[in-house]
Amino acid sequence: MSEVFESKIKHFSAIFFVSKREKVLDYYSKIGFCCDYEMGFVEREGLMMIFHESEEADAIVPNYPVHGENAVNVYAMVEGIDNLYAEFKSKGALFQYELRTNNFQMKEFAIKDPQGYTVGFGESLV
């Protein structure tokens, strides 16, 4: 009889190094994320990112432009992508790429923060 292990991963947090943490947190706060300035956390509906300040410029390595326009740092599946896109646009979000339909039957867009990190959002069309 095999042993059964019960567990549950409750949420996911990506960790990024930035040179100006407060500026990055201000950006995410402006577009609708909850921010903890003391800890460097930003969160919205289960998507959590943590930003640590680094004095080493080499430690700040967003996926774009090194790996191309589609290389986001975090990708979140959502419901109501048209509404989320409209909300971010109305709040002045910076876009890596605008709302589009990709070859995998996903409607998606990606935002970028002042440090260059990108977050993609997608909704399945099937």
Side-chain angles (χ1 to χ4, degrees):
M1 183 174 199
S2 66
E3 192 170 355
V4 176
F5 297 96
E6 292 188 30
S7 65
K8 180 180 180 181
I9 297 173
K10 296 175 75 173
H11 58 81
F12 164 83
S13 300
I15 300 173
F16 302 109
F17 288 89
V18 297
S19 62
K20 295 180 178 151
R21 183 167 81 173
E22 187 171 339
K23 184 176 180 179
V24 171
L25 297 178
D26 286 346
Y27 169 76
Y28 283 104
S29 178
K30 177 181 93 168
I31 64 170
F33 283 74
C34 295
C35 296
D36 180 331
Y37 281 79
E38 184 177 338
M39 300 298 292
F41 288 34
V42 303
E43 189 272 333
R44 180 168 174 162
E45 300 158 15
L47 171 59
M48 181 180 281
M49 296 175 285
I50 303 168
F51 295 95
H52 293 298
E53 195 149 311
S54 174
E55 294 179 11
E56 298 293 326
D58 293 344
I60 301 164
V61 188
N63 287 344
Y64 172 83
V66 175
H67 300 288
E69 179 186 86
N70 296 320
V72 296
N73 293 96
V74 176
Y75 195 89
M77 298 299 292
V78 302
E79 293 178 7
I81 195 160
D82 293 307
N83 292 332
L84 184 62
Y85 175 77
E87 177 189 346
F88 283 165
K89 192 150 189 99
S90 74
K91 292 180 177 179
L94 305 170
F95 288 90
Q96 177 63 27
Y97 53 85
E98 301 285 335
L99 189 62
R100 66 186 187 191
T101 300
N102 68 21
N103 295 335
F104 307 105
Q105 296 302 305
M106 296 285 296
K107 200 169 194 181
E108 65 177 4
F109 68 90
I111 61 171
K112 59 184 173 182
D113 67 30
Q115 196 67 67
Y117 291 108
T118 53
V119 182
F121 298 90
E123 181 173 24
S124 177
L125 298 175
V126 291

